[in-house]
Amino acid sequence: MSRPSTAPILRPAGPAPFADRHRPAVRYRGDLVVHSCTGAGILLRIALRGEVDHYSVAPVRALLASAAATGARLLVLDTARVTFADSALLKALSLWRRDGRRLRLTGTSRAVAHLLAAARLCGGCPAPGP
């Protein structure tokens, strides 16, 4: 005979074996920091620090959209402190370059240089302006 029971069939033996490797995407939020941001007339200067990916790029895209709406035409972007960058950065920069706005990259980190080189090979790189 069997008796009904509410006890689990398998008892947890400890933490899940892949818990550290499979954390939710929320952990990426905040990895990108706008280190500095100044604007004067048509010029906008931004320095980024950290990782730029599709989880963390939203504040940068919002900042660029706001600056474009208020008349900024030239973006000077310092990426010397960027440790990782993916196509999300390229997308944000290509959106900035719409309507004849210009872009100047300064202090390009190794990660951003690799991204730009790969994008150039594919023909998808937003070429930095003068």
Side-chain angles (χ1 to χ4, degrees):
M1 276 197 200
S2 65
R3 294 184 203 166
S5 172
T6 58
I9 295 172
L10 298 175
R11 297 182 190 271
F18 301 110
D20 291 334
R21 285 189 272 172
H22 298 289
R23 290 187 179 162
V26 175
R27 76 180 178 98
Y28 293 105
R29 293 183 186 161
D31 286 350
L32 174 68
V33 174
V34 177
H35 187 69
S36 68
C37 178
T38 58
I42 65 167
L43 175 65
L44 175 65
R45 291 180 184 270
I46 298 176
L48 300 177
R49 181 181 67 202
E51 298 180 1
V52 184
D53 59 19
H54 73 277
Y55 293 109
S56 64
V57 78
V60 173
R61 288 180 66 177
L63 179 64
L64 294 178
S66 175
T70 59
R73 306 291 300 160
L74 172 62
L75 170 63
V76 177
L77 183 64
D78 181 356
T79 60
R81 295 178 183 93
V82 173
T83 56
F84 173 82
D86 69 6
S87 62
L89 179 62
L90 293 178
K91 177 69 172 177
L93 297 180
S94 68
L95 291 173
W96 171 260
R97 295 208 30 141
R98 287 184 181 173
D99 301 324
R101 288 185 293 271
R102 297 182 308 158
L103 166 68
R104 182 178 302 152
L105 294 174
T106 62
T108 305
S109 71
R110 187 174 187 175
V112 173
H114 283 284
L115 175 67
L116 294 176
R120 281 188 200 105
L121 289 175
C122 299
C125 180

